[in-house]
Every structure is written in C-alpha cells, then in structure tokens.
Amino acid sequence: MSHTPVASPRAAARARYAIPVLAAVLVLAAVWSLTVGQYPITLGDQWRFCLRALSGQPSAAGEQHRIATVLCDIRFPRLLAAMLVGAVLAASGTAYQAMFVNPLVSPGLLGVLAGSAFGAAVGMLAGVNWTLVQVFAFTGGITAVGLAVAMAGSGKGDKLLLLILGGVISSALFTALLAAAKYVADPNDELPAITYWLMGGLSRADGTTMRLAGPAFCLGLVLLFRFAGRLDLLSLGDEEARSLGLSTGPVRLALIALSTVLCALTVSIAGLIGWVGLIIPHAGRMLVGPGHGRLLPVAALLGAVYLLAVDDISRLAFGVEIPLGILTALIGIPFFPLVLKNARKGWS
C-alpha cells in the first residue's frame, strides 16, 4: 500500500508549498467574497461583527443587525456551499480518473448527475417542498449509480469496461426519463423551474441546508483522502494493483459508493455543475504530480477556490445572476484542450 507514483523534481518542490499557499488563497478569497454584493460590507464591518460575536455580545440594532443578517443568513451559507461543492466535485473527479485509469472521466460517468436531475424533476412535478426535492435528487443519483453497478455485476468479462457501459446505459435511461418529465411539466410553472435548476446555482443554499450537508461533505472528503494510497495502486491498472496486494473490486466499489454519495449531495444542493470534476484534477496533477496523498487535498482546494470565484462572477459580472453550470462550461471548454495537452506529464 506504500507504492506512490514518483513526481518530477519540479512538481515535488511545488508540492511542499501548494497546500499552504492554496489554503491561504482560499481564506483570502472567502473574506473578499463576503464583502461584495448588492449590499456592500467592508472588511471593517466584518471585523467588528466577528469581535461582537466572539465577545458574546447580543446583536446590535440597525445597521449592525442588517450586516449580521446578510453575513450569517445569506452570504456565509452560500460561500460555504461554493467551497464544499467545488472541493467535493474536484476530489471525486480525481478519484474517478484514478479508478478508471482514464484522464477523460468525470464524476458523472456512472449516471449520478442524470439520476439526480431526474429525481429533482420528479420532486418538482410532485409539488413537494425544496427539502424533499433535494431528497428526491439525492435518491435519484444513488439509484442511477446502483443500476450501473448492478448491470456491470450481472455481466461477464472485463469488469471495468462493464462498469463504464453500465454507466452509459444508466445515464441514457435517466436522461430519457428527465426528458419525459420535462415534456409533461406545466410550461408556465414547473418547466421553467426544472430548466433553471438543471443549469446549476447556489441561490437556494441556506443555513439549514449547510448545517445538514456541511458535516457530510467534510466527513466524505476525509474518508476520500484516506483512500489516497489505494488510488495510487488503482491508477496503475488492475493487474498491477492486484499483484501489489490490493483487492481491486471491493476497493473500487467502496470508492464508487463514497464518491456517488458526495456527488449526489452536491447535485441536491447546487444542481448540475459540470467540468469542475474533469478540469480541476488535471490542474492539480500538473501542479503536484500524480501521488494522491498530495493530489487529493490540492484538487479539493483548487476546486473550492475555483467554484467560489465562478460564483462571485455569476453574482457580480452582470445585472442578473448567471447559472453556475453555464459559466463552468464556458470556462472549462476552452481551458480543456490546454489542460489535456499537458495532462500526460502529470498523469505519468
């Protein structure tokens, strides 16, 4: 379990500083993000609010009360959601690429995004409250991946190939079901709601949602980091991994289950946000090399910074908020050829 891919000397040198530097950048970006918006809040306002909270003083009336409301009820939950969703998508994408030994794989490979989208659409058609819509989305994602794994398990031959084929079939099935749900939706009410949600966004991330999902995200990331050594072996291919003593089937199944739960949680909170799980792992690999002990936390930090920055752009660049899924695609598509051109350096 101690086999670790050898990074280039330059990547090894960068790796020593990557995590503390990225962590500092994330903190600075978070503090700045809290100051910007339709209701400007200066750093001095934030400092006074923190001092008041740490000293246990009750909330002041008037302007200070409004600042506390904007920070605690609106901006901080959204900021936390952006960082955690970005970190989880990037770390899950890193795990998927190692599991399938393929730099073009993303967390949606096994159908979790299509299943979650269909689940959310069903919830909106049923007219349930937003919390239950999130539960429907989470359940849909788990069901889709479970179907892909079941189809792969029922076949004979290369299990990795069967798993990919199962994911393709499951994605196609739930995409078709989503189209059917949109076809029967009320065009004046339900269809716009489903379409907007599918574009991705954090406008519904409130304090209650993050109190429930935040610990699950953090626990899932910690568990994923603990698989770093096994991901190093899986990225060598099944035969080499087994020759080094790894039980590839159970480890891959555990990683799929963990990554699926995390991705389904992101979709239930933020809708469909693509490209983060595909692009960021490559950027992290080019920065610190292929060893997952360094790569997973670096990818998580990069993903958190990236989605936080994109969310700020979506809120501030135009007069209306732009869905995150549109922006991540517009940024990721032109960036992808550049990343792919250099990806092999880090992958090997």
Side-chain angles (χ1 to χ4, degrees):
M1 298 291 178
S2 60
H3 181 91
T4 302
V6 179
S8 67
R10 183 176 296 179
R14 285 196 297 261
R16 288 198 293 272
Y17 306 102
I19 292 177
V21 168
L22 286 172
V25 171
L26 180 61
V27 170
L28 292 175
V31 171
W32 182 80
S33 297
L34 288 174
T35 67
V36 295
Q38 292 186 352
Y39 187 89
I41 297 175
T42 66
L43 291 176
D45 293 332
Q46 287 188 45
W47 177 249
R48 285 187 288 276
F49 170 75
C50 291
L51 287 179
R52 184 180 293 278
L54 290 173
S55 64
Q57 297 180 34
S59 298
E63 188 70 8
Q64 287 297 312
H65 180 69
R66 282 191 289 273
I67 289 173
T69 301
V70 172
L71 285 178
C72 296
D73 296 344
I74 301 174
R75 290 187 188 171
F76 186 71
R78 180 167 182 149
L79 175 145
L80 191 61
M83 293 192 298
L84 288 175
V85 168
V88 162
L89 287 175
S92 298
T94 304
Y96 264 74
Q97 290 177 3
M99 272 190 286
F100 291 94
V101 203
N102 190 329
L104 299 180
V105 166
S106 69
L109 176 71
L110 299 183
V112 61
L113 300 184
S116 294
F118 172 68
V122 169
M124 292 180 197
L125 288 178
V128 298
N129 62 41
W130 180 243
T131 301
L132 281 178
V133 170
Q134 291 175 314
V135 173
F136 272 76
F138 180 78
T139 306
I142 300 293
T143 303
V145 176
L147 180 61
V149 173
M151 284 190 287
S154 64
K156 294 182 179 178
D158 187 334
K159 289 299 180 184
L160 202 56
L161 180 60
L162 288 171
L163 199 55
I164 294 172
L165 289 175
V168 171
I169 295 170
S170 181
S171 292
L173 171 64
F174 281 92
T175 300
L177 291 174
L178 173 63
K182 292 167 72 175
Y183 183 74
V184 302
D186 180 354
N188 296 317
D189 182 23
E190 295 165 343
L191 184 57
I194 294 172
T195 303
Y196 185 77
W197 182 85
L198 290 176
M199 296 178 186
L202 294 167
S203 58
R204 291 180 179 271
D206 55 17
T208 302
T209 300
M210 293 318 300
R211 277 193 291 274
L212 293 173
F217 278 138
C218 295
L219 177 62
L221 280 173
V222 171
L223 292 176
L224 204 55
F225 293 166
R226 292 182 67 83
F227 276 93
R230 296 172 179 85
L231 285 170
D232 286 339
L233 297 181
L234 284 175
S235 65
L236 299 174
D238 277 15
E239 286 189 14
E240 286 197 49
R242 279 195 289 267
S243 70
L244 291 168
L246 183 70
S247 299
T248 55
V251 171
R252 182 173 284 115
L253 197 59
L255 278 165
I256 288 173
L258 179 58
S259 300
T260 299
V261 169
L262 288 172
C263 289
L265 273 175
T266 68
V267 179
S268 67
I269 290 173
L272 301 186
I273 300 177
W275 291 92
V276 178
L278 179 61
I279 293 291
I280 298 299
H282 290 295
R285 205 172 286 114
M286 287 189 290
L287 189 63
V288 298
H292 289 83
R294 297 183 301 270
L295 178 57
L296 280 171
V298 164
L301 286 168
L302 280 174
V305 172
Y306 174 69
L307 202 60
L308 183 59
V310 173
D311 187 48
D312 287 341
I313 294 172
S314 78
R315 290 189 296 124
L316 304 172
F318 304 96
V320 295
E321 182 175 329
I322 306 299
L324 282 181
I326 294 176
L327 285 178
T328 55
L330 290 175
I331 296 171
I333 290 170
F335 187 60
F336 187 62
L338 175 65
V339 167
L340 198 58
K341 180 180 176 182
N342 296 289
R344 301 306 304 180
K345 297 177 184 175
W347 186 263
S348 58

